[in-house]
């Protein structure tokens, strides 16, 4: 139902607005409202804001638990796997998500930020889907709680490839900078995960871990509380 509504909304944009209006408009939905809703055009920004609020709410929940799972798998420092003793909330991961979000607000041009984020986001999503397809081929006997027809992920990968490749000729620097931002995770991984054998790292990590545990009342999750298998 949601997919149908989104498709029909985009079809309506193309029917009502010209190509020049779509390309020049900073907010296509608002331009659409000026043509169709007349005196109640002000409703469009309100509903868009509510939609964004719902999307952000979902991203906050999922992103924090992605950091938590990554930490449990050994891809991030152990600190991010902590959960609250009573509420089971991944507080360190949520705080990191909050700080990263606030850092993004420092970018003056929100459209540039969207371009950086979107392309890398779809590349990460495509890589995840491709990885699951590869596991389905290489390890067909693995337990799969959810299994869909192969046509669906293949079509989705084609859409992701379009969203990744199409902007490169017109905005190549956005791609380069987006890839550069992604690659900054490599030194963090080697410094905070791979270098666990270093004495100085163990001392600093141990002190930081104890401090975080005391402040936020968090600890390592029990086996049944872990999100990772």
């Amino acid at each position: 139902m949601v997919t149908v509504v989104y498709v029909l909304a985009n079809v309506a944009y193309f029917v009502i607005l010209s190509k020049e209006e779509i390309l020049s408009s900073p907010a296509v939905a608002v331009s659409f409202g000026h043509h169709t809703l007349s005196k109640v055009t002000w409703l469009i920004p309100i509903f868009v804001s509510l939609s964004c609020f719902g999307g952000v709410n979902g991203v906050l929940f999922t992103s924090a638990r992605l950091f938590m799972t990554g930490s449990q798998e050994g891809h991030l420092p152990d600190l991010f796997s902590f959960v609250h003793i009573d509420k089971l909330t991944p507080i360190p991961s949520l705080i990191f998500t909050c700080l990263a979000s606030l850092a993004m607000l420092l970018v003056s041009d929100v459209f540039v930020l969207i371009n950086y984020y979107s392309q890398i986001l779809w590349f990460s999503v495509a890589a995840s889907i491709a990885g699951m397809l590869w596991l389905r081929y290489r390890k067909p006997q693995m337990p799969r709680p959810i299994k869909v027809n192969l046509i669906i992920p293949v079509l989705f990968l084609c859409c992701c490839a379009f969203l990744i490749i199409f902007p490169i000729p017109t905005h190549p620097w956005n791609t380069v900078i987006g890839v550069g931002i992604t690659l900054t995770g490599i030194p963090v991984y080697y410094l905070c995960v791979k270098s666990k054998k270093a004495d100085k790292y163990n001392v600093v990590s141990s002190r930081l871990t104890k401090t975080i545990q005391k402040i936020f009342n968090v600890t390592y999750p029990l086996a049944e509380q872990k999100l990772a298998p």
Side-chain angles (χ1 to χ4, degrees):
M1 186 184 297
V2 173
T3 302
V4 171
V5 170
Y6 269 86
V7 171
L8 291 178
N10 282 274
V11 170
Y13 295 156
F14 285 109
V15 171
I16 300 298
L17 302 176
S18 65
K19 177 181 177 182
E20 290 72 20
E21 287 178 310
I22 293 175
L23 293 176
S24 61
S25 175
V28 176
V30 175
S31 300
F32 174 82
H34 283 301
H35 284 276
T36 58
L37 299 178
S38 185
K39 295 181 180 180
V40 292
T41 306
W42 54 270
L43 286 174
I44 297 292
I46 293 177
F47 284 112
V48 170
S49 300
L50 291 174
S51 176
C52 291
F53 180 81
V56 169
N57 188 50
V59 169
L60 286 176
F61 278 103
T62 55
S63 297
R65 280 154 181 78
L66 284 174
F67 291 132
M68 179 180 174
T69 304
S71 176
Q72 292 173 0
E73 292 289 342
H75 301 150
L76 291 170
D78 294 338
L79 179 64
F80 293 113
S81 66
F82 287 172
V83 296
H84 190 269
I85 292 177
D86 299 320
K87 304 298 183 181
L88 305 182
T89 306
I91 292 179
S93 296
L94 282 170
I95 292 175
F96 179 77
T97 303
C98 176
L99 294 176
S101 302
L102 292 175
M104 290 182 181
L105 293 178
L106 298 176
V107 178
S108 59
D109 191 343
V110 67
F111 293 104
V112 173
L113 178 62
I114 291 173
N115 290 335
Y116 293 160
Y117 175 78
S118 298
Q119 199 170 12
I120 298 303
L121 169 67
W122 287 115
F123 178 79
S124 302
V125 171
S128 301
I129 300 298
M132 287 190 285
L133 287 175
W134 177 252
L135 286 175
R136 187 164 171 175
Y137 169 73
R138 296 291 296 178
K139 299 181 179 181
Q141 303 304 320
M142 287 183 66
R144 290 177 174 83
I146 299 176
K147 190 174 182 180
V148 299
N149 191 288
L150 286 176
I151 296 177
I152 296 176
V154 170
L155 288 176
F156 186 77
L157 275 178
C158 293
C159 295
C160 290
F162 174 80
L163 294 172
I164 296 168
I165 298 172
F166 185 76
I168 294 178
T170 54
H171 302 285
W173 276 111
N174 288 346
T175 304
V176 173
I177 295 174
V179 172
I181 293 173
T182 304
L183 293 179
T184 58
I186 295 177
V188 174
Y189 173 74
Y190 278 95
L191 288 174
C192 300
V193 178
K194 282 294 186 180
S195 61
K196 286 183 178 180
K197 296 181 180 180
D199 294 335
K200 291 184 178 180
Y201 175 85
N202 288 331
V203 172
V204 174
S205 177
S206 178
R207 290 178 180 175
L208 180 62
T209 298
K210 291 179 181 179
T211 302
I212 295 296
Q213 285 183 289
K214 291 177 181 179
I215 295 174
F216 299 109
N217 199 24
V218 294
T219 187
Y220 290 102
L222 300 176
E224 62 269 18
Q225 298 168 351
K226 290 185 177 181
L227 299 179

